Amino acid sequence: MRLRALLETEALGLRLLGGEDELDRSVRGVMTTDLRDPSRYLSGGELVLTGLAWRREPEDSERFVRILTGAGVAGLAAGEAEMASIPDDLIRACARHRLPLFSVNENVSFASITEHVVRQVSSERAGDLAAVVDRHRRLMTSGPAGGGPEVVLDLLGSDLDLRAWVLSPTGRPIAGSSLAGAGPELPSTVSAALAGEHLAAARTGRRGPHRVTVGGGTYSLFPISHSGRALAARDVRETVLSDWLLAVEADAGDWSPERLDLLDGVTQLIAVERDRRDAARTVRRRLAQEVLELVQAGAAPAEIAARLRVAAPVLLPGLGTAPHWQVVVARVEWEDGDIPGGPVAQALLEEMLVAPDASGPESSDRIAVAHMGDEAVALVPLPAVSAGAEGGEEGRAPGLHADRILAAVREPLSRGLDDDGRLTLGVSAAVHSAEGLRGALEEARHARRVAAARPGRVCAAGHQELASHVLLLPFVPDDVRRAFTARLLDPLRDYDRRHRAELIPTLEAFLDCDGSWTRCATRLHLHVNTLRYRVGRIEQLTGRDLSRLEDKLDFFLALRMS
């Protein structure tokens, strides 16, 4: 039961003195005490009843409340029989520690409150146990076949007063109370953090549920493995980045075995639903595989175009004209090289290419992903949009951008990859014909290789980067990179250390301003003559001439590689 229910029971004679924001705390028992330190008899979740006999001076209130808070009690109820009113020092101490404080009318005995709490808590526990069998029956008959995960989560909310969400490994909400309008949505920062906590715990091999505190709330995380596949997996890395999780807004640490068994049954039912929806992707995956094989085999554009015409209605039902297409290539690699990364990369692409603000499991139904070895390839249709549409060019959708794809998933996936895995991703430009698809595939693969040359567990590159120096820099050997940058920049760094002259920042600003003395001086808040002196010193120390394009380019590349 919750503290709010006690306050609403007039017969108990309770009056709230502080802690109105904490009235949703659960009460798991009651204890009457006047000991100065009752901590040894507290296990957490109790409503503590006291006659205040422990209080001899005002300072005692802070000490007593601190002990109760440390023990995790739900609230404190102080009787008015010994004193005319509850002391102000006790009210202030409870407010400081966010402990709900009630006063008990002198006409109400502690025994009456104790009897009421024990009766309510016992009946709730008995109700939970008695409903387990019936609840399982309802879940089995109305879950996977009659409404999906939402039905299961609705039963958790209505029967057990538990708010819960099914989340993807990147933290995207698949189903939950908030999706059905039954409560506030789970903030994206919280859902991403929960996914990261789950992935980190799974990589350590700890069994769920995992108790975590995120955003000021306590959650219990239950893994949802593919039914029938978890036991067959040889290594947790084969599934950790593709499994869903169930996040319950509660602390499962003190749950009974019966309730834990019930939640385990819920995860099994949701796993069945996950497998059913994975099976529904079979057609889309097969289409992607067939197109990919035709492209790689050098098939005639007409043959590829025919296959694309078959794919378009499946991925974009009702579309009247052929869409544009983008290709995304992803690769998951583990340091020991023994774990196949292709299936994991395939599942990740199907998840990551869903719009960040999309919810529900059906949002990825317009993405076709195939995998070959450790590489996964996605064919993403981009339906034409009207001219002047926001963010797009005439007759063309804005398309996918590598940095945006990773923005919301980098943190949780990095925790799942831990210190022995990498995810690299490349994105092509949009093409509108079968002739361009082969080039798009090579472009996406080349962009992924650029991403692979960068540091970090999760990296991506887009087609825009293949037409600039960014394409070349990652492939410069380290010894060449060090020698080139040292020759140009070390004299300036040494001078800056000795004289605090800021020649390096001056050089960067000068190049950013395209050699404009006026704009650079304004940016650095310098007189033009001071700027000319610094540039002259740079030229003197390096033997270069910043009025020459070649020397400007050398300095630019040295700064980018440093």
Side-chain angles (χ1 to χ4, degrees):
M1 67 179 305
R2 301 187 184 275
L3 287 174
R4 190 181 305 279
L6 291 174
L7 190 63
E8 294 170 353
T9 306
E10 296 182 4
L12 298 182
L14 296 177
R15 181 167 58 92
L16 183 65
L17 300 180
E20 55 274 6
D21 294 333
E22 305 291 332
L23 291 179
D24 286 326
R25 293 186 181 187
S26 296
V27 179
R28 296 194 294 269
V30 63
M31 177 186 180
T32 300
T33 184
D34 277 314
L35 294 173
R36 294 172 62 83
D37 182 2
S39 58
R40 72 183 70 177
Y41 304 109
L42 297 171
S43 58
E46 297 92 343
L47 173 67
V48 175
L49 306 175
T50 180
L52 301 176
W54 48 265
R55 181 183 179 277
R56 298 168 186 170
E57 54 187 8
E59 290 75 16
D60 291 340
S61 293
E62 172 65 22
R63 179 176 177 274
F64 185 78
V65 171
R66 188 167 58 248
I67 290 172
L68 297 187
T69 303
V73 305
L76 174 64
E80 297 177 346
E82 293 292 329
M83 300 182 179
S85 61
I86 306 304
D88 290 339
D89 48 86
L90 180 58
I91 296 175
R92 289 193 296 269
C94 288
R96 278 193 298 271
H97 293 276
R98 302 181 65 84
L99 180 66
L101 175 64
F102 305 87
S103 66
V104 182
N105 189 286
E106 60 180 304
N107 296 322
V108 178
S109 68
F110 284 176
S112 300
I113 298 175
T114 300
E115 181 182 356
H116 177 84
V117 172
V118 170
R119 185 170 60 249
Q120 292 296 320
V121 171
S122 298
S123 63
E124 287 184 3
R125 289 174 178 166
D128 284 352
L129 300 181
V132 166
V133 175
D134 179 63
R135 204 172 283 121
H136 270 291
R137 179 187 59 79
R138 293 162 59 193
L139 292 174
M140 289 299 295
T141 56
S142 62
E150 292 81 2
V151 173
V152 178
L153 300 185
D154 285 346
L155 290 176
L156 289 180
S158 61
D159 290 6
L160 298 183
D161 195 23
L162 292 175
R163 297 181 67 221
W165 298 265
V166 177
L167 304 178
S168 77
T170 65
R172 187 176 63 87
I174 303 296
S177 302
S178 59
L179 301 183
E185 292 186 0
L186 195 65
S188 59
T189 54
V190 173
S191 59
L194 291 175
E197 294 284 353
H198 166 71
L199 291 174
R203 285 305 308 274
T204 64
R206 290 191 288 125
R207 299 188 62 182
H210 311 298
R211 178 189 180 278
V212 298
T213 301
V214 173
T218 299
Y219 300 85
S220 296
L221 309 180
F222 297 80
I224 301 174
S225 301
H226 289 262
S227 63
R229 201 181 79 181
L231 295 178
R234 298 186 303 273
D235 193 298
V236 67
R237 292 173 293 179
E238 295 184 39
T239 58
V240 65
L241 296 180
S242 58
D243 286 343
W244 290 353
L245 69 137
L246 176 66
V248 181
E249 192 178 22
D251 183 357
D254 58 350
W255 284 3
S256 65
E258 290 83 2
R259 180 172 285 203
L260 288 172
D261 286 345
L262 172 62
L263 266 294
D264 182 63
V266 168
T267 63
Q268 292 177 24
L269 290 170
I270 297 176
V272 172
E273 177 69 6
R274 170 69 189 272
D275 288 348
R276 184 185 70 82
R277 296 185 178 183
D278 270 357
R281 293 176 175 172
T282 302
V283 173
R284 298 191 301 278
R285 289 174 173 175
R286 184 180 300 121
L287 286 172
Q289 192 75 35
E290 291 175 354
V291 173
L292 179 61
E293 290 174 354
L294 289 173
V295 170
Q296 294 196 136
E303 186 177 357
I304 299 174
R307 189 64 62 186
L308 287 177
R309 284 194 294 272
V310 173
V314 175
L315 301 178
L316 292 174
L319 189 65
T321 59
H324 296 85
W325 299 89
Q326 269 184 289
V327 176
V328 182
V329 173
R331 191 179 183 93
V332 172
E333 298 172 287
W334 306 101
E335 289 185 1
D336 57 22
D338 295 333
I339 308 301
V344 177
Q346 181 182 47
L348 279 179
L349 274 186
E350 289 173 335
E351 165 60 30
M352 293 163 58
L353 297 182
V354 178
D357 57 350
S359 59
E362 306 299 339
S363 304
S364 60
D365 281 356
R366 296 184 174 184
I367 300 165
V369 185
H371 77 82
M372 302 182 69
D374 288 335
E375 181 183 79
V377 180
L379 288 175
V380 183
L382 302 173
V385 296
S386 59
E390 183 178 354
E393 301 171 357
E394 182 175 349
R396 180 169 299 208
L400 301 170
H401 299 271
D403 53 347
R404 296 179 188 173
I405 293 174
L406 291 192
V409 303
R410 188 187 304 274
E411 180 180 353
L413 291 186
S414 295
R415 301 194 68 179
L417 292 163
D418 199 19
D419 60 354
D420 61 345
R422 286 200 80 200
L423 167 67
T424 51
L425 184 143
V427 182
S428 78
V431 296
H432 66 280
S433 66
E435 289 86 350
L437 205 56
R438 183 182 180 89
L441 176 60
E442 291 304 316
E443 190 175 54
R445 283 175 168 162
H446 205 156
R448 192 207 64 78
R449 288 193 288 270
V450 171
R454 296 171 175 169
R457 291 291 167 190
V458 181
C459 298
H463 62 91
Q464 304 92 337
E465 302 177 55
L466 302 184
S468 74
H469 66 281
V470 176
L471 172 63
L472 302 177
L473 294 185
F475 302 100
V476 177
D478 289 342
D479 55 344
V480 176
R481 182 192 302 262
R482 287 191 294 268
F484 183 75
T485 58
R487 183 177 302 171
L488 282 175
L489 301 182
D490 279 3
L492 306 183
R493 290 171 177 148
D494 292 340
Y495 191 88
D496 282 348
R497 279 195 296 269
R498 293 197 307 269
H499 302 284
R500 298 181 181 178
E502 297 187 352
L503 295 184
I504 292 290
T506 301
L507 176 61
E508 291 176 331
F510 187 72
L511 295 176
D512 284 344
C513 293
D514 298 323
S516 169
W517 296 99
T518 303
R519 284 194 287 125
C520 183
T522 300
R523 176 184 292 189
L524 296 176
H525 305 290
L526 297 175
H527 192 278
V528 173
N529 290 340
T530 303
L531 175 61
R532 290 185 184 275
Y533 171 81
R534 289 188 182 179
V535 171
R537 179 63 67 184
I538 292 171
E539 294 174 334
Q540 180 185 13
L541 291 170
T542 60
R544 299 300 185 105
D545 183 356
L546 278 168
S547 65
R548 299 178 66 246
L549 176 61
E550 294 87 346
D551 288 341
K552 287 180 182 177
L553 180 59
D554 284 347
F555 277 122
F556 174 82
L557 293 175
L559 289 169
R560 289 297 183 273
M561 288 191 292
S562 62

